[in-house]
Amino acid sequence: MAPPEPKHQADAVRTTPQGSPLVGRPIHQEIPYGSAWNAVRRLADQSGLVFLDSAMSHQEVGRYSFVAADPVATISSLDGLRDAMARFPLQHVEGIPPFQGGAAGYLSYEAARSLEPRLAERMPPPQIPAVDFRIYDRVVAFDHLEERAFVVSTGYPEQNETARVARAAHRLEELLRQLGVVAAPRSGHGIIRNWRSSFSRSEYEAAVRRTVEYILDGDIFQANITQRFSAPVPDGFDPLRFYETLRRRNPAPFAAYLDFGDVVVASSSPERLVRFDGLTAEARPIKGTRRRDQDPGKDAEHKEALLGSRKDRAENVMIVDLLRNDLSRVCDPGSIEVPVLCGLESYASVHHLTSVITGRLAAAYSAIDLVDAVFPGGSITGAPKLRAMEIIAELERAPRNLYCGSLGYLGFSGRMDLNICIRTALFHQGIATVETGGGITRRSDPATEYDESLDKIAPILQAFEEP
């Protein structure tokens, strides 16, 4: 990528008649459109690298990618995020991608402990920070639909308007220089084998049978049971090289790479938890999976079997109802709609049934209130959500950490997009972990559920074996 000479426009100082600063507005400059991966490589040695990656281009869900590094602050709670959004309000600029500076990071699955006191007694604490967002004053943003790219700079954390605008201009020009430096080749490798699961086949099938008993006893309608695969990370392993392989083999619209030092994440998630565009909230739960086949005829059979599966459709509709209820807690009455019910989406290795639920966020609520209402996603817990999460904690016996948590951005302008961390690898304290599972209903067959969970994880494990 070769950025042009800076020609950005800095805002004039804007104040109210009383002299207090107005809400800030970022400055931005368009740069030549190219591979977002090149920007990642050139910023990879900076701290706090974040790549929110629409590796699978799609005009609706895979339109934008964002790269940021060198954060100005770390936030470790949702209350901290709420405070940061209040301190650094930003006008949204139309015509450029929606993340224009703000917080990017993750919520672990166990972050739900702080949202629901009843869960704190049952769920184990995570082995990583429960909430870890970094504040980015600059972003490299890509619009893959229009094939345009921008650098955006906010000038925060400066609070004085004149100083903020000056800092924004300085930081933007600094970022342009960094993007103009060719990255050195990376020398690490990406092979990990000898994975060990937290469940044997018999143990997993027993957990499925116990879940079905809970359903027949009337405790729940459905629950998602998962198994964890872990392996030591060898010397010389390069997570970024692994992610390069993963995104090439399994492109996904909500993929991501985070390097927060002790916690590194490589995700090829196809699932959105929730997006907020300033007016409307959107959730896109996935329920129902079939593996793909290289033979077109067999692939079509798998697709038809998924579309015709009463079990998968029932499970999907159940989660749609759960999310309609979650969104109704913060959306205007009567605004909840389901524009897509059990739509088919096909990825490199699997077909999915995906639904879309939307609602107009009520004026009294913010994007963080929206997170509070829907986190964690019902598609990876079950229904009713709280009881399903208690049963999950009992049967899985270990924290999920990042798996089934969420990852994405919350912009200073209030825009937000968070995925659900499935198809995700976590590197922490010398151990790599990946997890997989499935929704259990009264119709579930334990052996089939075990085999389907392996189908889902196979593409991730295969990516670890490519040098």
Side-chain angles (χ1 to χ4, degrees):
M1 178 179 302
E5 291 299 316
K7 294 180 180 179
H8 59 81
Q9 294 182 338
D11 292 336
V13 176
R14 297 162 294 105
T15 61
T16 66
Q18 293 74 31
S20 58
L22 293 171
V23 174
R25 179 180 170 88
I27 63 174
H28 66 278
Q29 179 175 323
E30 185 162 3
I31 60 176
Y33 178 77
S35 167
W37 183 250
N38 286 339
V40 172
R41 290 285 313 280
R42 293 172 187 194
L43 301 180
D45 292 333
Q46 297 192 27
S47 65
L49 176 69
V50 167
F51 182 23
L52 305 178
D53 181 16
S54 292
M56 189 189 84
S57 183
H58 186 285
Q59 64 179 6
E60 294 180 4
V61 296
R63 176 171 176 176
Y64 303 114
S65 292
F66 303 98
V67 184
D70 188 23
V72 299
T74 298
I75 304 293
S76 58
S77 68
L78 283 180
D79 285 341
L81 275 177
R82 197 184 301 275
D83 292 343
M85 295 305 113
R87 282 188 64 199
F88 305 126
L90 198 71
Q91 290 183 35
H92 180 73
V93 178
E94 298 295 339
I96 63 175
F99 183 38
Q100 300 169 4
Y106 72 83
L107 296 92
S108 72
Y109 173 78
E110 284 77 22
R113 288 161 50 95
S114 65
L115 301 177
E116 174 53 55
R118 178 174 144 190
L119 292 174
E121 303 172 1
R122 307 290 184 92
M123 296 175 70
Q127 295 157 325
I128 60 174
V131 178
D132 195 345
F133 277 81
R134 310 295 165 96
I135 298 295
Y136 296 91
D137 63 322
R138 308 175 302 180
V139 177
V140 189
F142 297 83
D143 183 337
H144 302 299
L145 180 64
E146 297 192 354
E147 297 190 343
R148 301 178 71 188
F150 304 85
V151 289
V152 189
S153 180
T154 68
Y156 285 133
E158 286 288 355
Q159 296 286 295
N160 175 275
E161 183 69 354
T162 301
R164 185 191 68 77
V165 171
R167 175 184 165 84
H170 167 74
R171 291 278 284 171
L172 184 145
E173 292 176 13
E174 179 184 58
L175 181 55
L176 288 171
R177 285 195 298 273
Q178 293 164 347
L179 291 172
V181 176
V182 176
R186 302 183 73 87
S187 58
H189 60 78
I191 296 176
I192 294 181
R193 297 191 178 98
N194 302 318
W195 297 91
R196 297 188 62 181
S197 172
S198 57
F199 284 99
S200 66
R201 171 182 276 273
S202 62
E203 290 171 338
Y204 189 85
E205 292 181 3
V208 172
R209 282 192 290 272
R210 184 71 185 103
T211 304
V212 173
E213 290 173 358
Y214 275 121
I215 295 169
L216 296 177
D217 289 344
D219 280 56
I220 53 173
F221 299 106
Q222 187 245 41
N224 191 285
I225 301 300
T226 72
Q227 56 177 322
R228 174 193 297 178
F229 290 82
S230 59
V233 178
D235 292 341
F237 180 83
D238 182 353
L240 187 58
R241 277 198 63 183
F242 162 73
Y243 180 65
E244 184 178 16
T245 301
L246 181 67
R247 70 189 294 271
R248 174 171 44 80
R249 294 176 60 112
N250 301 280
F254 303 105
Y257 181 83
L258 268 64
D259 186 349
F260 284 177
D262 195 40
V263 173
V264 179
V265 181
S267 175
S268 59
S269 173
E271 186 166 1
R272 167 179 283 153
L273 171 66
V274 66
R275 179 185 68 166
F276 179 56
D277 65 4
L279 179 67
T280 301
E282 177 193 275
R284 295 179 61 91
I286 290 174
K287 268 300 166 195
T289 303
R290 291 291 187 281
R291 66 178 173 83
R292 301 211 59 176
D293 198 295
Q294 293 183 344
D295 180 277
K298 291 182 179 178
D299 194 52
E301 290 177 7
H302 293 322
K303 192 185 302 183
E304 292 305 314
L306 179 59
L307 288 169
S309 167
R310 291 179 58 196
K311 184 256 187 187
D312 287 304
R313 291 186 67 87
E315 196 176 354
N316 195 302
V317 170
M318 197 181 303
I319 300 306
V320 168
D321 285 342
L322 187 156
L323 275 161
R324 291 173 62 193
N325 182 67
D326 284 350
L327 288 177
S328 69
R329 295 164 56 190
V330 292
C331 289
D332 288 330
S335 70
I336 307 295
E337 296 180 349
V338 184
V340 178
L341 182 63
C342 297
L344 182 78
E345 291 187 349
S346 297
Y347 296 88
S349 59
V350 292
H351 300 290
H352 284 308
L353 288 184
T354 303
S355 294
V356 179
I357 308 100
T358 62
R360 187 174 60 250
L361 192 69
Y365 296 108
S366 69
I368 295 177
D369 296 318
L370 181 57
V371 175
D372 200 337
V374 304
F375 183 84
S379 62
I380 45 77
T381 58
K385 185 186 284 186
L386 292 182
R387 183 61 182 133
M389 292 177 71
E390 290 175 338
I391 291 170
I392 287 168
E394 172 196 324
L395 297 179
E396 294 184 2
R397 306 184 302 275
R400 291 180 171 184
N401 294 318
L402 195 67
Y403 182 68
C404 296
S406 293
L407 180 160
Y409 71 81
L410 174 59
F412 291 140
S413 67
R415 271 63 174 175
M416 177 178 72
D417 206 348
L418 296 174
N419 77 2
I420 293 182
C421 292
I422 56 176
R423 323 281 155 79
T424 297
L426 170 67
F427 305 92
H428 176 59
Q429 295 185 342
I431 301 294
T433 57
V434 292
E435 302 193 32
T436 181
I440 309 305
T441 70
R442 60 186 293 273
R443 295 189 178 95
S444 289
D445 172 67
T448 301
E449 294 292 347
Y450 182 82
D451 292 338
E452 285 187 2
S453 73
L454 297 187
D455 285 344
K456 292 176 182 175
I457 201 66
I460 310 298
L461 299 183
Q462 290 164 2
F464 274 107
E465 297 189 0
E466 183 172 322

